Amino acid sequence: MNKNKGFTLLEVLIAAIILFTALALASEIFKSATLSTDIAVKNAKYFQVTPSAITAIKFDLRNKVKNRNISEANGELELFGIYYSWQAHREVFNSPPTDELSDFSERNRFSIYNVEVLSKNADRERTFTFKVATW
C-alpha cells in the first residue's frame, strides 16, 4: 500500500511542452502587436504633420508667384523629420469677371495651381496632390 503520490516524467514533460507552447504564442502575439504599434505611430505622425506641410507649401507658392506671371514653381521643406518636395503647375490663369456693360478688362491675375508633393520619411515615400488658388 505504499504508493508514490508524485508526477511521472511523462506528465512533467507534457506539462512543460504545453507551458512553453503557450509562452511562445504569447511572445509572437506581443511581437506582432509591437510591430503594429510602430506602424500606427509612423502613420499618425505623417498624418499629423502633413496638414502643416500643405499650409507651408501654399504659403511658399503664393509668395513665389505673387504679382508675377509664373506658370511653374517648386520647392522643398522639412518638418519633424519628414522631407517634402513639391512642384506646382498652373492650370488656370484668369482675370476677374467684368461687368457686361463695361469695356474695361483687367489683367489676368487669378491662378489655380495643381501641386504634386513627394514626401519621404525614413524608408517610405508617399505622393499626393492638391490645388491652390492664388491672386
Side-chain angles (χ1 to χ4, degrees):
M1 302 284 273
N2 190 7
K3 291 199 171 203
N4 287 335
K5 294 192 176 192
F7 295 106
T8 65
L9 180 59
L10 184 58
E11 291 171 335
V12 171
L13 288 175
I14 290 174
I17 289 172
I18 292 171
L19 174 68
F20 292 129
T21 303
L23 288 174
L25 289 174
S27 171
E28 283 298 316
I29 290 170
F30 180 74
K31 180 180 173 184
S32 65
T34 304
L35 182 61
S36 296
T37 301
D38 290 343
I39 291 170
V41 166
K42 287 178 184 177
N43 283 335
K45 178 182 175 184
Y46 173 78
F47 287 112
Q48 288 173 351
V49 172
T50 297
S52 297
I54 290 172
T55 301
I57 291 169
K58 287 179 180 180
F59 181 77
D60 194 22
L61 175 62
R62 287 181 178 138
N63 283 337
K64 286 185 177 187
V65 302
K66 188 174 188 175
N67 297 326
R68 295 185 198 109
N69 186 7
I70 298 175
S71 61
E72 294 186 0
N74 58 38
E76 299 173 347
L77 103 111
E78 184 175 349
L79 287 175
F80 299 102
I82 302 175
Y83 173 78
Y84 295 91
S85 174
W86 59 271
Q87 293 182 340
H89 305 281
R90 185 171 55 203
E91 292 182 341
V92 177
F93 190 45
N94 288 331
S95 62
T98 58
D99 187 8
E100 294 175 4
L101 302 175
S102 173
D103 290 335
F104 179 72
S105 65
E106 293 192 40
R107 66 178 177 83
N108 289 347
R109 64 178 181 189
F110 297 109
S111 298
I112 296 178
Y113 287 87
N114 185 40
V115 182
E116 299 172 3
V117 182
L118 171 67
S119 66
K120 296 178 184 177
N121 184 12
D123 58 343
R124 188 165 187 183
E125 290 185 4
R126 299 179 188 193
T127 59
F128 61 93
T129 61
F130 63 94
K131 295 188 185 289
V132 178
T134 64
W135 55 91

